[in-house]
Amino acid sequence: MYKIFALLCCFQMVQSSYAQTVKGKLMDAKSNPIEGAYILNIHSEKHTHSNELGYFKLEDNEVGDTLRIGALGYKKLNFVIQNLSDNQRIGIQLIEESFELDEIVIRPTLNGLNVVSAIDLKTTPVKSSQELLQKVPGLIIGQHAGGGKAEQLFLRGFDIDHGTDIAISVDGMPVNMVSHAHGQGYADLHFVIPETLDQIDFGKGPYYAGKGNFATAAYVDFTTKKNLDKSMLRYEVGDFGWNRALGMFNLVSSDTDHAYVATELTQFDGAFDSPQNFSRLNLFGKYSTQFADASTLAISASHFTSTWDASGQIPERAVASGLISRFGAIDDTEGGTTSRTNLNASLLKVLGEETFIKSNVFYANYAYELYSNFTFFLEDPENGDQIKQFEDRDIFGFNSELQKNMTWGTSEVLLKAGVGLRADYNNDVELSHTLNRKTTIENIQLGRIKETNSFGYASLDYTLGNWTIIPGLRLDYFNFQYTDDLQEIYTNTSENKAFLAPKLNVLYSSSQELQVFLKSGIGYHSNDTRVVVAATEEETLPAAYGVDLGTLWRPTPKVFLNATAWYLYLEQEFVYVGDAGIVEPSGKTERFGVDVGVRYQLTDWLFFNTDLTLTKARSIEEASGEDYIPLAPDFTMAGGFSVLNLGRFSGGINYRFIDDRPANEDNSIVAEGYFVSDVKLDYQVSKNLGIGIAVENLLDTEWNETQFATTSRLQNEIAPLEEIHFIPGTPFFLKGSLTYTF
């Protein structure tokens, strides 16, 4: 009997030490979880990745096996399994090190291209709010209203205007403004202090169940830092009245609690004959804490306000005739003010080793007042055509998403299911004809908007061998209400609309160096409430049908490539023209093209990157030759060389190029392309003190930042004329900086 008992004990010990599961958690030196690390059992060749909590689970292990662990920005680690008998979660700390491109691992996830933004943020950190969206490969921006207005965006054959076809969020809080006084989807990111940015998550096309309104061409999610490495003071000074002061201060820093505040003041006149008098003040604070069960809570608050004067868009003929210079103005009383106050609370609740819920609840107050004059004296030869656009809105909402990892037989499954709500109460939305930013000549539109969007979605990442299949489904429900205050009798009109959006995506990963993907799905962008309730024939939620076929490939340890061929069809292309209070539909459109990207580490300290896009964008219902989509770019390229930690030096040279593109439907008016390059150089004088120099438009190129085909009339002209109206790009622009950390 004793021998039998001993044999059973030995068998149990052998069984407990053979082919068991390892559970672990990866953390950095500050106990922050490390997501997306690659964990490989060298003996069994089984592998997995850490999730958002830093947790991982790996099957088929024996005592004595070695786990090879790698993550972007951390030293590789070989971890020897010492004990499997209690099956407890192992805590493993990774040590940060200089960035190496061979640490890149291509994960079998739908947004695997995020590795590109991770590389770019490491090699070329963001240092201005204008650079935030340019971290999305293939996205080009342009400013055309004195620096205080949201940028004009170009991506995948879209002139997205200010955000109609790209969904943007910060810490789960939406940035796009529905039914905005100036344009549908208006997205102003200037409330983000760039030095507080931690991560960028982006995806192109309507393929993501968690993304709804405006996510047709792409979505971009920004995440701010949980804590600061160091407190910092920075001052910048430059040409054209550039001044920027930044302060970032650690208030609390412990294993479980972190808190910091940041503030920024920016002033700029620009190269214009009439100074912009631009001024922006930003305030941001964030507190986060971690509970005993690894759940985390983060609370943030921010406020920004901006004022500016603008020279506005000017016609080519006014410059050619000598009436004004390239940096002159026809109406220099343009300009505006805007502000935004945000409150956001985020909770990541751990329900188990394989299950957690991410939720956030937010409130924002947003105010906007803009004075513009695009046509000069076309409509009113006496007073001019200046208009005022105004709104004051409150935004409430929440998002909540369940993530659960499961095993079905030999397959790994990730379930994501979420619900959310957004409510906009837009008070006193106004479009008026004004004079000199003081006198209101006529109210064109005046009213109140209430718009709510509730939604639910689910997706399933089903991994079987080298294949990952990701079906998804999303349902959105809208309620639109508009009260017209220009009517003598109270009128409140409303409309309801629902949209069901299926998605299906397939990934094939033959190794951690190669992935091929096929993405497909339906998305939409909503129409403006004032158009919806007017009972016009325009679609309320026109659909976008898309498909992407592409690859992520690391052919050598130091080279990362991505390439995608894509197609996108829109049921109805439209732009709400806040300047005139009307909607401009252009019917059905299609776009198709190729995106290509290269990331190459030439040495330990020198990195190269470039992204190029080839696109064809056309209206389907128009005759050939009259089917161009105005301002849709057909070729763009951006990239450069970056120096990272070459002794005490860092910096780089970057460029962006956009080709000539049609400015109207028959391509008889052309918006000229441009090539612009910038250079930065930073030097660490001591442990705490750094200096920097930056030059925008290094080659002093004469370029037009934004261009439109506009019909206008100058004061002494008898007849109107349609031609290019433009905002000149900044000439050679030198800036210097001084940074002190403590």
Side-chain angles (χ1 to χ4, degrees):
M1 179 66 79
Y2 175 78
K3 290 182 179 180
I4 295 175
F5 177 75
L7 287 171
L8 287 173
C9 288
C10 290
F11 177 75
Q12 188 175 19
M13 291 175 63
V14 171
Q15 192 177 39
S16 66
S17 63
Y18 180 76
Q20 289 198 27
T21 299
V22 168
K23 296 179 180 179
K25 181 178 182 179
L26 300 180
M27 300 165 290
D28 64 15
K30 294 186 176 181
S31 299
N32 297 316
I34 299 174
E35 180 185 6
Y38 182 75
I39 302 100
L40 169 71
N41 185 312
I42 298 175
H43 175 73
S44 68
E45 297 187 348
K46 295 279 187 178
H47 69 274
T48 188
H49 301 86
S50 58
N51 68 10
E52 191 169 336
L53 302 175
Y55 291 161
F56 69 88
K57 182 176 71 173
L58 187 63
E59 308 285 347
D60 296 339
N61 305 278
E62 300 181 39
V63 171
D65 282 357
T66 298
L67 302 182
R68 181 173 294 163
I69 303 172
L72 188 64
Y74 296 89
K75 290 183 179 179
K76 291 184 176 65
L77 176 68
N78 287 333
F79 181 85
V80 179
I81 301 173
Q82 302 289 345
N83 191 351
L84 285 169
S85 59
D86 55 7
N87 201 26
Q88 294 296 309
R89 187 174 296 281
I90 304 168
I92 303 174
Q93 185 181 102
L94 300 185
I95 306 301
E96 291 189 45
E97 70 167 359
S98 298
F99 176 81
E100 295 288 340
L101 200 63
D102 60 9
E103 297 167 351
I104 294 296
V105 173
I106 300 173
R107 300 168 58 197
T109 62
L110 185 56
N111 53 357
L113 198 57
N114 279 332
V115 69
V116 171
S117 63
I119 295 170
D120 292 349
L121 279 175
K122 288 284 187 181
T123 55
T124 53
V126 173
K127 291 189 176 180
S128 74
S129 57
Q130 283 73 27
E131 292 182 13
L132 292 174
L133 284 168
Q134 292 190 123
K135 289 300 180 184
V136 177
L139 194 153
I140 303 291
I141 68 169
Q143 177 57 259
H144 61 275
K149 190 177 173 185
E151 281 79 17
Q152 185 181 14
L153 311 176
F154 301 94
L155 179 68
R156 282 203 162 181
F158 281 91
D159 168 15
I160 301 177
D161 198 15
H162 301 288
T164 309
D165 287 279
I166 184 169
I168 303 173
S169 71
V170 175
D171 290 335
M173 181 174 53
V175 176
N176 300 78
M177 296 292 172
V178 295
S179 305
H180 188 269
H182 183 71
Q184 179 69 332
Y186 187 91
D188 187 350
L189 269 169
H190 294 140
F191 67 88
V192 178
I193 298 174
E195 285 84 355
T196 65
L197 183 65
D198 186 38
Q199 294 179 346
I200 301 176
D201 171 27
F202 75 92
K204 296 181 182 180
Y207 313 126
Y208 312 89
K211 308 302 173 187
N213 199 8
F214 306 122
T216 54
Y219 80 87
V220 187
D221 293 342
F222 295 96
T223 303
T224 58
K225 295 178 179 178
K226 185 175 76 173
N227 56 273
L228 302 178
D229 293 331
K230 295 180 180 180
S231 296
M232 178 174 64
L233 295 172
R234 173 173 291 159
Y235 179 67
E236 300 174 11
V237 63
D239 292 332
F240 314 123
W242 173 266
N243 282 273
R244 180 176 183 251
L246 170 72
M248 300 176 67
F249 307 98
N250 260 321
L251 303 180
V252 178
S253 183
S254 69
D255 289 342
T256 59
D257 295 271
H258 301 276
Y260 69 93
V261 295
T263 183
E264 173 195 43
L265 175 64
T266 304
Q267 296 175 319
F268 188 45
D269 287 334
F272 302 94
D273 295 342
S274 295
Q276 292 185 25
N277 300 314
F278 170 74
S279 178
R280 182 175 69 233
L281 175 66
N282 288 70
L283 301 170
F284 178 76
K286 188 171 185 178
Y287 167 76
S288 61
T289 185
Q290 181 172 310
F291 303 106
D293 64 350
S295 298
T296 58
L297 172 68
I299 299 172
S300 63
S302 66
H303 174 77
F304 108 102
T305 183
S306 183
T307 63
W308 69 95
D309 298 322
S311 294
Q313 299 158 29
I314 56 176
E316 289 182 329
R317 63 187 184 276
V319 178
S321 68
L323 178 64
I324 58 174
S325 75
R326 268 182 52 82
F327 296 94
I330 302 299
D331 181 356
D332 62 0
T333 65
E334 297 182 67
T337 63
T338 186
S339 66
R340 178 167 175 159
T341 301
N342 303 303
L343 296 173
N344 191 24
S346 303
L347 176 66
L348 192 155
K349 176 61 179 175
V350 178
L351 302 180
E353 293 185 342
E354 307 296 337
T355 309
F356 62 90
I357 294 178
K358 294 192 302 180
S359 302
N360 76 297
V361 58
F362 58 87
Y363 164 76
N365 174 261
Y366 172 82
Y368 178 88
E369 184 176 65
L370 178 69
Y371 293 87
S372 307
N373 190 345
F374 302 103
T375 54
F376 311 125
F377 294 91
L378 177 66
E379 305 293 339
D380 188 338
E382 181 179 350
N383 299 301
D385 298 345
Q386 186 181 90
I387 59 172
K388 171 188 175 183
Q389 296 163 317
F390 175 86
E391 69 167 67
D392 181 11
R393 80 167 70 202
D394 294 301
I395 310 169
F396 308 85
F398 77 91
N399 304 283
S400 188
E401 180 181 271
L402 168 72
Q403 292 195 23
K404 183 175 181 62
N405 288 283
M406 300 175 286
T407 301
W408 292 355
T410 59
S411 302
E412 295 180 1
V413 178
L414 172 61
L415 170 67
K416 295 181 181 180
V419 295
L421 171 70
R422 171 178 175 170
D424 287 67
Y425 296 86
N426 198 348
N427 305 310
D428 300 323
V429 183
E430 177 186 350
L431 172 64
S432 297
H433 179 196
T434 58
L435 176 65
N436 294 326
R437 290 172 69 165
K438 293 181 179 180
T439 305
T440 299
I441 299 173
E442 177 191 11
N443 290 130
I444 301 170
Q445 285 186 342
L446 184 64
R448 287 162 284 163
I449 293 172
K450 292 182 180 179
E451 183 173 329
T452 59
N453 172 206
S454 55
F455 56 86
Y457 62 88
S459 67
L460 201 67
D461 292 36
Y462 182 81
T463 301
L464 182 61
N466 294 331
W467 294 89
T468 302
I469 302 172
I470 311 173
L473 190 65
R474 181 185 178 94
L475 176 64
D476 284 85
Y477 180 81
F478 281 83
N479 175 254
F480 304 90
Q481 296 184 44
Y482 180 60
T483 302
D484 190 347
D485 289 337
L486 293 181
Q487 300 295 322
E488 293 183 4
I489 301 174
Y490 173 81
T491 57
N492 181 274
T493 49
S494 65
E495 184 72 31
N496 298 311
K497 187 71 174 180
F499 191 92
L500 188 65
K503 327 279 184 178
L504 180 60
N505 306 281
V506 179
L507 316 176
Y508 178 75
S509 303
S510 60
S511 68
Q512 60 175 309
E513 283 84 27
L514 178 64
Q515 181 184 110
V516 178
F517 56 81
L518 177 63
K519 303 178 183 180
S520 63
I522 302 175
Y524 71 94
H525 54 195
S526 66
N527 209 328
D528 187 281
T529 291
R530 289 159 289 187
V531 177
V532 171
V533 301
T536 65
E537 306 228 346
E538 316 309 338
E539 290 284 346
T540 303
L541 305 174
Y545 301 83
V547 62
D548 275 33
L549 175 63
T551 184
L552 308 176
W553 184 30
R554 197 178 68 181
T556 72
K558 299 297 185 180
V559 176
F560 181 85
L561 307 175
N562 62 276
T564 305
W566 58 271
Y567 175 85
L568 189 64
Y569 164 83
L570 267 66
E571 280 187 342
Q572 183 183 98
E573 182 113 2
F574 63 83
V575 176
Y576 177 77
V577 185
D579 311 330
I582 60 174
V583 67
E584 285 187 351
S586 57
K588 299 178 176 62
T589 62
E590 67 176 5
R591 293 169 170 82
F592 54 89
V594 176
D595 297 345
V596 177
V598 179
R599 303 295 182 275
Y600 178 31
Q601 183 174 0
L602 289 85
T603 69
D604 290 344
W605 50 268
L606 183 61
F607 298 82
F608 169 75
N609 74 285
T610 194
D611 295 285
L612 63 89
T613 68
L614 290 168
T615 307
K616 184 175 182 179
R618 294 292 186 269
S619 296
I620 294 176
E621 298 173 324
E622 304 298 330
S624 178
E626 299 178 359
D627 56 352
Y628 292 91
I629 299 176
L631 301 180
D634 55 16
F635 178 61
T636 68
M637 187 165 60
F641 290 89
S642 300
V643 174
L644 189 64
N645 299 325
L646 176 59
R648 296 187 176 188
F649 288 95
S650 295
I653 183 168
N654 299 288
Y655 67 88
R656 60 192 183 277
F657 171 79
I658 187 168
D659 200 6
D660 293 350
R661 57 201 188 279
N664 59 353
E665 288 78 1
D666 62 5
N667 201 24
S668 60
I669 302 177
V670 175
E672 293 183 357
Y674 58 81
F675 176 92
V676 177
S677 58
D678 308 320
V679 66
K680 298 177 183 177
L681 180 63
D682 295 314
Y683 179 74
Q684 197 66 29
V685 178
S686 65
K687 180 180 179 181
N688 302 103
L689 184 64
I691 58 175
I693 188 171
V695 178
E696 295 184 19
N697 195 0
L698 178 66
L699 304 178
D700 199 19
T701 302
E702 184 177 290
W703 62 294
N704 295 336
E705 187 161 8
T706 53
Q707 302 170 74
F708 302 88
T710 304
T711 300
S712 67
R713 183 169 62 183
L714 301 178
Q715 191 166 23
N716 297 321
E717 291 181 331
I718 299 174
L721 179 67
E722 183 184 23
E723 67 173 356
I724 287 291
H725 291 54
F726 68 94
I727 294 288
T730 304
F732 182 94
F733 176 19
L734 176 65
K735 294 187 289 186
S737 66
L738 183 68
T739 303
Y740 179 74
T741 59
F742 56 97

